[in-house]
Amino acid sequence: MTLIGRTRARGVETLSLDAPERRNALSAALVAELADALTDAGRDGGVRVVVLTHTGNTFSAGADLRDPPAPEALTGLLRRIVELPKPVVARVTGHVRAGGLGLLGACDIAAASDTATFAFTEVRIGVAPAVISLPLLPRTDPRALARYYLTGERLDAVEAARIGLLTACGEDVDEVLAPVLDGLRRAAPEALAETKRLLTARVLETFDRDAADLTALSARLFASATAREGMTAFLERRDPEWTV
């Protein structure tokens, strides 16, 4: 079963998260397939830019609680997006939760329709947004991130753009992205690669410094009794025992 759709038009390789029945949750299989697709696009001279999008009404619900990827695999996927020698643009027309927000943070440009919603829901199931912090902390407003990390509140696309989680939003995401993709098509491939290298230097410094510690933290938290209660409560559609 293919979990990543691939299409190409005028140098734009579109990779679609294609497991709508699971709300495009980040399973071990989906993470591995997406990483391979990104590697292929990075090596293909016919690809100028990668657009990362989705089928269904959810971009990604975060980690698949029934088949979660190893923290090292998610860390590797995020780094692959950041290091890809071609721009990666997120196109969102649905909801994004938890680990899915790490994908947005890793992308160079992220745009969404104004009906999209976002939430860092990790604390509500007893874990922390550890690995996804690698691309998010260097790129997102720290005061706003503190609020949304700690509370798990939902935010809309306008607020997501204000705090740097998105580049832009609008009623029609394709209209928002049209000038972006036109500009990328007009840019020299080598210039794009070197410019991206300049822009991602601070993010990669964060990976180099913190990836091992945050990956270990994620693994420890997901293996905890607190996380087991939180994930069980989520799957059973009830409040976890710590709710007051």
Side-chain angles (χ1 to χ4, degrees), residues 103 128-129 182 197:
L103 297 180
D182 179 66
R197 194 188 306 274

Side-chain angles (χ1 to χ4, degrees), residues 76-99:
L77 173 62
L78 298 180
R79 182 158 193 151
R80 191 160 306 189
I81 295 171
V82 175
E83 287 188 321
L84 205 75
K86 299 171 184 184
V88 182
V89 177
R91 174 190 175 275
V92 179
T93 62
H95 310 300
V96 194
R97 299 290 184 267

Side-chain angles (χ1 to χ4, degrees), residues 1-4 18-22 29-30 33:
M1 177 181 177
T2 300
L3 300 173
I4 304 296
D18 191 19
E21 71 286 352
R22 300 296 294 272
L30 187 148
E33 190 172 333

